[in-house]
Structure formats: C-alpha cells, structure tokens
Amino acid sequence: MTEAPKTKIISRTVEFEGWHKLETIVVQHASLRHDGHVDPIKREMYFCGTAVVTLLYQPETDQILLNEQFRIGAFMAGEPNPWLYECCAGMIDAGEEPEEAARREAVEETGCHILDLEFICKVYTSPGGTDEKYMLYCGRIDKAEAGHFGVAEEGEEIRTHLIPAAEAIHLLDTGKILNSGTIMCLQWFARNHDRLRKKWSQK
C-alpha cells in the first residue's frame, strides 16, 4: 500500500498578488499524537521567496561593510529610527544561484566585488505564516568605500558604512542591530572572526 501523504492541501485561495502574494490555504498534516492526520487548519500564507544575505568583510583592515536604509516594516511597527543597519541583501532572481545573487547584490548595493564566499546557513524567517527564506553568507571584499548606492528604479537609497569588526560586534551586543539576517550573520562572524581573518588575509 502507498503511504498517505504527510500533508494534504485541501484548498488554496489567492487573496492578493503584488510585490508578494497572499493566499488562504487549508491543509491537513500528519499528527504527532497518532498515526492519522489532524483536523483541517486554515492559514494565511505570505509568499515572499528566497533572499540572499551577505556580510561583507575586509580582512586586511578588519572592517565590515554595513548598509543603512529606510525599512517600512520597522517604521510601521513604531521603531523610532527605521533607518536600519543591515548586511547586503536581496532577492534571488529566477534561474539565479544564491552565490550569483550575492555577488550581484554586493555590486548594486555597495559597489564592492566579492572575492570569496563562505556559506553560513539557510533559515526560514517566520515559517508560521510566510515562505520567506534567507541564504546567509560571509563575503571577502578587497576595496570598499563608504558612500551612497542602490538601484534607484527599485526605490533603493542606501548609505554604506565601513565599521571595525569589533565595533560591529559591539553594535550587535548592545542591541543596535535590529535586522534579523544581519544579527544572525554577525553572531556567526563573532564566532568565526579569528579563523576567517587568518584564512582570508593569506590570500
């Protein structure tokens, strides 16, 4: 006999489709209590896609490059300063590999070219209601300057900041970094700082 699927989609209704898509979905998933399925559950699902987030690091000077830009989500949540410090990030285009997207976004948002990449992890940002997924990396850059970047037709206005690694970690530890992908990247970087600087400074 064929094993019953662990999750069955009963219905899907598109409620809105714009920059992202919102659907109402009814599903039945396998129970953790017994061998059958739970009763149908209805959830609103926000489809955002997959983004790449890259912490840009210059080992020769031991500096990190962070973007500063306005975020409407922080603004609407009442954040007093919705201009957040963030890693370079962007959506992965159709047919594009995550590492290709990381390199493209670095040029668009910071003017920097990534020389080496190290994969950090894959993470679902809020799996209870969205499919949004981050592919996190740390990238080695050789030349960087603070300045203004971004793709104007996409509404991007980005100011970049070259920050000593120790200061960036201090911003993390004191709660000054509010973007989730950036927090995860910096936490990983703090644990791998010495190894990474030694590895990339030899190149």
Side-chain angles (χ1 to χ4, degrees):
M1 294 180 64
T2 303
E3 183 180 357
K6 292 185 177 181
T7 303
K8 300 183 289 187
I9 297 177
I10 297 171
S11 67
R12 297 179 64 165
T13 304
V14 176
E15 306 292 354
F16 172 81
E17 189 164 6
W19 180 254
H20 298 304
K21 182 169 66 172
L22 177 67
E23 292 188 17
T24 299
I25 302 176
V26 179
V27 299
Q28 273 187 297
H29 64 75
S31 173
L32 296 174
R33 297 178 183 274
H34 52 74
D35 292 335
H37 287 74
V38 300
D39 292 336
I41 59 173
K42 183 169 73 171
R43 296 288 185 270
E44 288 75 36
M45 181 73 181
Y46 198 42
F47 289 90
C48 299
T50 303
V52 63
V53 181
T54 310
L55 181 66
L56 300 179
Y57 177 54
Q58 194 172 52
E60 293 80 9
T61 59
D62 199 26
Q63 290 177 303
I64 285 172
L65 189 72
L66 291 179
N67 292 346
E68 178 188 7
Q69 61 182 317
F70 174 81
R71 290 303 193 187
I72 191 170
F75 171 73
M76 294 304 295
E79 184 60 37
N81 181 9
W83 281 265
L84 306 187
Y85 280 76
E86 304 177 347
C87 289
C88 172
M91 302 303 298
I92 299 175
D93 292 339
E96 190 176 37
E97 293 297 323
E99 291 193 1
E100 293 175 327
R103 296 178 189 277
R104 172 180 53 77
E105 288 290 345
V107 174
E108 291 178 0
E109 293 192 352
T110 72
C112 294
H113 293 273
I114 293 175
L115 304 178
D116 292 288
L117 274 172
E118 187 162 320
F119 180 66
I120 297 176
C121 69
K122 172 179 74 174
V123 60
Y124 289 92
T125 60
S126 186
T130 174
D131 74 333
E132 185 177 55
K133 179 172 63 179
Y134 287 169
M135 305 293 286
L136 306 183
Y137 290 88
C138 186
R140 178 172 76 94
I141 55 175
D142 62 349
K143 296 180 180 179
E145 295 181 1
H148 295 85
F149 299 90
V151 180
E153 55 267 30
E154 295 181 7
E156 291 183 338
E157 187 182 76
I158 297 169
R159 179 163 59 189
T160 59
H161 299 266
L162 267 173
I163 302 173
E167 182 180 335
I169 294 170
H170 178 70
L171 290 174
L172 169 71
D173 291 341
T174 54
K176 301 299 195 305
I177 304 296
L178 302 180
N179 175 275
S180 62
T182 304
I183 289 172
M184 287 181 276
C185 285
L186 280 171
Q187 287 175 335
W188 177 91
F189 178 82
R191 294 175 60 238
N192 291 272
H193 178 201
D194 292 340
R195 175 189 65 81
L196 208 57
R197 190 178 189 195
K198 181 178 179 181
K199 172 186 173 182
W200 282 346
S201 292
Q202 294 172 349
K203 295 198 172 187

